[in-house]
Every structure is written in C-alpha cells, then in structure tokens.
C-alpha cells in the first residue's frame, strides 16, 4: 500500500495498492476507511469501478482506476485507517489485505510568535521567552535554537492551556476562547524557555540569535527568530538594534521574523 502518513487539508491524495497474484486473475480490489467501504474495482464486471458514499471521502472517479484511487479536497473527516483488500478470482478466492493510517493536518496560518520579557540582555542573565504557534490541528512540536544550536528540551516547558491568557506586567492577556478556537479542537501551543545566557552566546558585535521552530511530521516547518541584543551593541542601524526584524526563507516557506514584544507569563 502507498498511503501518505500525513497530508494537508484540501490536498489531492493518490492512494495505491500494488499486488502480485502470481498468474491468477483478480476478482476485486476494495478500499475501506475504517468500517466503511468507499471504492471497488472488479475488472470482469460490466461496471468495473464502483464508488460508495463515505463521510469525508471524495473519490475522483475519472482519475481512479485499478490499483490507484485519487481523493480530492481531503478534510479532517478523511483521517483514519485505510485498508486495501485484494481478492483472487475462481477457483481459490484467496484474500489478503493491508492497513495504513493517514492523518489530515490543518497547519498554522502564520509562523510562530516569539515574546521576550525585555529587549536588552547581558551574559549571566536568565532569559525567559515564549514561543506560540497559532491555531492548528494537531498541535506542532516546538524546538528552540540559539545561534542555530538546538537548546536541550529540559530548558523549556509547554504552557498548560489553563495558563494561556495570564499576563504579567506589560504583557497582554489572551482570552481562553482565542486559544481554543471553534469547538475547542484547534489549539495553539506555547513553549516557555528559561536559559542562563553566557558570554559565548554573544558574538563580537554583541548579539545572539534566538529561534523557535514549529514542525509536524515533515508536512510543515515554520520558524521565527529574534536577535538578543547587549547594551553595548552599536554596529547596526537603530531599528535593527531594537527589533532585529527581517524575513527569511526556510525549506521554501517565507517566514516572518518576529519583533521583540512583551512576554506573556
């Protein structure tokens, strides 16, 4: 079976079921999603291709034939266990099947957002930062990097949903409804980093780069980064010293690099 493990909402997906009957004839090839049959190919029948109604399954009958089934405009309802069943013709009628899982992903509409507790940093200080990936389903993995070196996972924690919306100081709170989305099935995810900054983190010009990656099963990869600026940083233009704004491209995706904004704790 050739079934992708993860695809994006709205995609066109090609499913394939390859087999070798070792000289025997094929009676039927059927496709199932869970307990629902949605496709049957019977080469000796007057109507060799039959498509059955199934929630979340939209078969492109013109593009589907024999071993290949094409689904268009997949949705979350298209996710599930897919089974291909091959049945030999008379006289043996031997049957074999295989199952694979496909997940339909609703990716974030924008890059993650970085928030820092302040703008200027010095070696020896404890950095606190939040990285929030916007609404998606399912939730992405969040990873931190400083100067393109991955920060160990024990330096960060995922913020419980109950803490979303709690602001401190100049931070702006966000209501719980904004985080959970319609029906509570599309959630944002926030990772909170705590890291003691050391002199080697900063280059000779007096700045370091902090980055957060949001990824899920190679279906999407989006990043945001900011410059950590020391008080003696004087080589860049004033706007760059304060905000470090830019746009970069990672894996062919345009990524907005976030400005330094107040940290929500």
């Amino acid at each position: 079976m050739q079934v992708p493990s993860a695809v994006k909402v709205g995609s066109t997906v090609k499913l394939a079921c390859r087999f070798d009957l070792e000289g025997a004839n094929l009676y039927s090839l059927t496709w199932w999603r869970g307990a629902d049959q949605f496709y049957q190919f019977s080469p000796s029948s007057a109507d060799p291709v039959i498509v059955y109604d199934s929630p979340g399954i939209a078969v492109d009958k013109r593009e589907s034939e024999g071993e290949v089934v094409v689904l268009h405009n997949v949705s979350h309802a298209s996710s599930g266990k897919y089974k291909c069943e091959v049945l030999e013709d008379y006289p043996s009628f031997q049957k074999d099947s295989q199952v694979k899982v496909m997940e339909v992903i609703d990716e974030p509409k924008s890059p993650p957002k970085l928030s820092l507790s302040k703008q200027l940093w010095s070696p020896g200080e404890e950095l606190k930062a939040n990285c929030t990936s916007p609404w998606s389903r399912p939730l992405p993995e969040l990873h931190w990097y400083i100067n393109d070196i991955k920060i160990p996972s024990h330096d960060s924690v995922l913020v419980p949903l109950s803490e979303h919306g709690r602001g401190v100081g100049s931070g702006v709170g966000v209501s719980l409804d904004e985080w959970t989305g319609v029906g509570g099935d599309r959630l944002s995810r926030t990772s909170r980093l705590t890291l003691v900054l050391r002199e080697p983190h900063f280059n000779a010009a007096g700045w370091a780069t902090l980055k957060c990656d949001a990824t899920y099963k190679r279906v999407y990869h989006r990043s945001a980064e900011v410059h950590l600026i020391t008080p003696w940083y004087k080589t860049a233009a004033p706007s760059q010293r304060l905000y470090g704004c830019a746009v970069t491209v990672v894996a062919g995706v345009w990524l907005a690099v976030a400005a330094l904004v107040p940290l929500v704790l």
Side-chain angles (χ1 to χ4, degrees):
M1 285 179 68
Q2 296 173 349
V3 176
S5 61
V7 296
K8 297 179 183 179
V9 167
S11 299
T12 296
V13 180
K14 181 181 290 187
L15 312 177
C17 186
R18 311 299 184 186
F19 58 91
D20 181 4
L21 299 181
E22 299 179 339
N25 293 322
L26 175 68
Y27 180 78
S28 66
L29 183 151
T30 55
W31 279 92
W32 306 69
R33 199 280 310 275
D36 294 333
Q37 181 181 350
F38 63 87
Y39 180 85
Q40 179 172 307
F41 173 64
S42 304
S44 59
S45 299
D47 187 1
V49 174
I50 301 177
V51 174
Y52 300 94
D53 290 336
S54 181
I57 303 294
V59 175
D60 188 334
K61 193 172 181 179
R62 293 176 300 176
E63 298 294 327
S64 302
E65 183 178 8
E67 303 173 356
V68 176
V69 177
V70 176
L71 309 181
H72 63 83
N73 196 28
V74 295
S75 66
H76 291 294
S78 311
S79 298
K81 293 182 178 180
Y82 283 76
K83 181 176 73 171
C84 175
E85 185 176 85
V86 174
L87 180 64
E88 276 189 11
D89 206 342
Y90 176 88
S92 68
F93 289 110
Q94 290 186 8
K95 180 170 62 177
D96 198 5
S97 63
Q98 199 174 79
V99 175
K100 287 193 175 182
V101 176
M102 185 178 78
E103 187 174 23
V104 181
I105 308 302
D106 195 353
E107 64 177 333
K109 303 303 182 185
S110 60
K113 180 180 180 180
L114 281 176
S115 303
L116 305 181
S117 55
K118 62 177 187 174
Q119 295 178 341
L120 299 179
W121 299 90
S122 298
E125 288 189 301
E126 185 179 69
L127 167 72
K128 291 186 177 181
N130 279 357
C131 174
T132 299
S133 181
W135 292 340
S136 65
R137 183 170 60 178
L139 294 171
E141 295 180 1
L142 297 177
H143 301 285
W144 291 93
Y145 297 81
I146 188 163
N147 302 323
D148 291 325
I149 299 174
K150 191 173 184 179
I151 299 173
S153 58
H154 58 70
D155 288 324
S156 60
V157 296
L158 292 176
V159 178
L161 185 63
S162 60
E163 292 188 24
H164 289 172
R166 295 182 183 179
V168 171
S170 60
V172 179
V174 181
S175 71
L176 187 61
D177 288 342
E178 289 181 275
W179 290 92
T180 58
V182 178
D185 59 356
R186 298 176 71 239
L187 305 176
S188 65
R189 167 161 280 179
T190 295
S191 175
R192 180 169 297 163
L193 174 69
T194 303
L195 178 70
V196 176
L197 297 172
R198 306 297 183 189
E199 286 190 15
H201 287 141
F202 298 92
N203 61 21
W207 57 272
T209 301
L210 181 69
K211 182 174 73 171
C212 174
D213 276 0
T215 62
Y216 192 80
K217 288 189 176 181
R218 300 183 180 180
V219 174
Y220 67 82
H221 173 202
R222 311 198 79 180
S223 300
E225 64 182 35
V226 294
H227 290 320
L228 305 178
I229 309 301
T230 59
W232 59 86
Y233 177 62
K234 300 177 184 289
T235 59
S239 61
Q240 291 177 317
R241 288 204 299 270
L242 288 177
Y243 301 105
C245 293
V247 175
T248 58
V249 179
V250 175
V253 180
W254 285 98
L255 308 176
V257 177
L260 300 180
V261 294
L263 170 66
V264 177
L265 295 175

